[in-house]
Amino acid sequence: MRRPFKTDAPVKEGPRSNKEIRVPRVQLIDAEGQNIGAVPIDQALRMAEEAGLDLVEIAPNSEPPVCKILDLGKLKYANQKKAAEARKKQKIVEIKEIKMRPNIDTHDYEVKMRAMNRFFEEGDKVKVTLKFRGREMAHQELGMKLLLQVKDDTQTIAKVEAEPKLEGRQMMMVLAPR
């Protein structure tokens, strides 16, 4: 039994063009955007060659496939530009972490809240981590009270994505901007 061999031919991206189009007839649109109609593939290739452009398959799934006479290089360049513009506009949401202790001072708490508000304005999520040390583990209700206070203070600009929960010696809560 013979196994199918692996070709080293590169995988082509983008629409098929010129000789890659292997159908007997195509629906042709010329360089000016005029619909010529269904024509044999050799006639379409000849018209594209006379215009000094490429025959590019626009709608391969239609019957017959729709092909347009245009400059393939310009099409690829325009598609690259569109993709780059789309990438530039998207925002990657990061998770920022704010670390606190159960017996945090009021001023320190306010500084952390200002930082948290700044993160929300930038569109990032915030993970509030509360670390317990030594005997503080005996007073977990203080930690829960602090996290509930954070939840109340950020209620207008953020929503709770993960409720406060205890994992080992730390309590965590995740907030996302509204």
Side-chain angles (χ1 to χ4, degrees), residues 78-116:
N79 288 345
Q80 277 180 334
K81 281 288 183 200
K82 254 187 233 165
E85 195 64 36
R87 275 195 305 273
K88 198 188 297 183
K89 285 181 182 169
Q90 74 185 29
K91 165 83 172 92
I92 292 105
V93 176
E94 292 182 47
I95 296 183
K96 305 284 188 170
E97 188 173 21
I98 297 280
K99 291 185 178 181
M100 293 185 185
R101 296 281 310 283
N103 56 351
I104 189 169
D105 194 47
T106 53
H107 180 261
D108 295 335
Y109 175 79
E110 288 165 12
V111 169
K112 302 270 187 188
M113 292 307 289
R114 274 200 299 273
M116 214 179 292

Side-chain angles (χ1 to χ4, degrees), residues 107-143:
H107 180 261
D108 295 335
Y109 175 79
E110 288 165 12
V111 169
K112 302 270 187 188
M113 292 307 289
R114 274 200 299 273
M116 214 179 292
N117 288 340
R118 192 177 69 243
F119 294 149
F120 289 136
E121 285 168 14
E122 291 168 6
D124 296 323
K125 292 181 181 181
V126 176
K127 175 179 170 182
V128 183
T129 306
L130 202 65
K131 280 201 167 169
F132 293 101
R133 280 205 210 136
R135 292 189 193 143
E136 291 172 347
M137 282 299 288
H139 299 286
Q140 293 173 11
E141 71 279 353
L142 294 176

Side-chain angles (χ1 to χ4, degrees), residues 67-82:
C67 293
K68 189 172 183 179
I69 296 174
L70 50 82
D71 188 348
L72 187 61
K74 281 185 182 175
L75 178 72
K76 284 183 176 177
Y77 180 74
N79 288 345
Q80 277 180 334
K81 281 288 183 200
K82 254 187 233 165

Side-chain angles (χ1 to χ4, degrees), residues 14-47:
R16 290 189 294 189
S17 62
N18 300 329
K19 300 279 186 212
E20 295 167 356
I21 303 169
R22 290 191 173 86
V23 289
R25 296 180 71 74
V26 293
Q27 182 75 24
L28 186 65
I29 299 170
D30 69 1
E32 283 80 46
Q34 299 296 318
N35 190 348
I36 307 284
V39 296
I41 187 70
D42 52 348
Q43 183 185 342
L45 284 167
R46 196 169 44 253
M47 288 174 73

